[in-house]
Amino acid sequence: GPLPDFSRSTPRIRELDLSNQEPTNNGGFTGIVSADISRLDDLLVLNLAINNLTSIPSDMGNLLNLKILNVSSNFLDLKIPSELGKLGGVLDSLDLSNNRLKGLIPEDFDQFVDTSIH
C-alpha cells in the first residue's frame, strides 16, 4: 500500500527505516512518496529501499537536515528531481541504485562534492 503520513503522528522523528518491506508487507510500499514527508524537518535518515515505490517528490529537497537518503531497489521510473540538488551540502549518502530512472542527472547534482552517491 501507500506510505503512511508520518508528519502528523511523529513530526519530530529523526530516523525512518521502512526498508525491505516487500516480503513482509504484501509487496512493500507502493506508488509515489507523498510530499508530506518533506514536513519531517528533523529527519536525519530516510531509508525506503526495497519496496515498490515509483516516484519521490521534489519536496524532498527541503529536508535540509537529512544525512542519509536511500531509495534503492524500488521502481522509480521518472527522472531524478533536480530539487534534490539542494541537499548537496547536507547529505552524506544518497542511494538511488537499482531503479528505472530516466533522463540525465540534474545539473544541481554538482553540489554533491562530499556525498557518497550510488
Side-chain angles (χ1 to χ4, degrees):
L3 196 66
D5 179 5
F6 290 95
S7 66
R8 296 173 195 241
S9 59
T10 53
R12 297 309 224 185
I13 194 166
R14 297 180 64 122
E15 185 171 333
L16 184 56
D17 187 345
L18 297 172
S19 63
N20 204 18
Q21 296 297 310
E22 192 170 14
T24 59
N25 187 21
N26 294 326
F29 293 110
T30 60
I32 63 172
V33 176
S34 170
D36 293 332
I37 202 145
S38 66
R39 293 188 290 183
L40 298 174
D41 295 331
D42 294 333
L43 200 59
L44 299 172
V45 176
L46 179 58
N47 188 349
L48 300 174
I50 312 171
N51 280 287
N52 288 309
L53 299 170
T54 57
S55 179
I56 56 175
S58 59
D59 291 347
M60 261 191 198
N62 295 329
L63 293 171
L64 298 178
N65 289 314
L66 201 60
K67 298 294 179 196
I68 298 171
L69 175 57
N70 186 346
V71 290
S72 65
S73 300
N74 277 284
F75 291 93
L76 303 180
D77 60 0
L78 300 174
K79 65 179 188 168
I80 301 169
S82 62
E83 291 82 359
L84 287 183
K86 292 193 277 185
L87 301 177
V90 178
L91 281 179
D92 293 329
S93 176
L94 172 62
D95 194 342
L96 300 165
S97 64
N98 296 314
N99 281 289
R100 300 174 181 173
L101 294 166
K102 298 175 184 161
L104 300 173
I105 296 173
E107 289 181 23
D108 293 344
F109 272 46
D110 65 355
Q111 303 297 313
F112 288 104
V113 177
D114 295 321
T115 303
S116 172
I117 299 177
H118 305 276

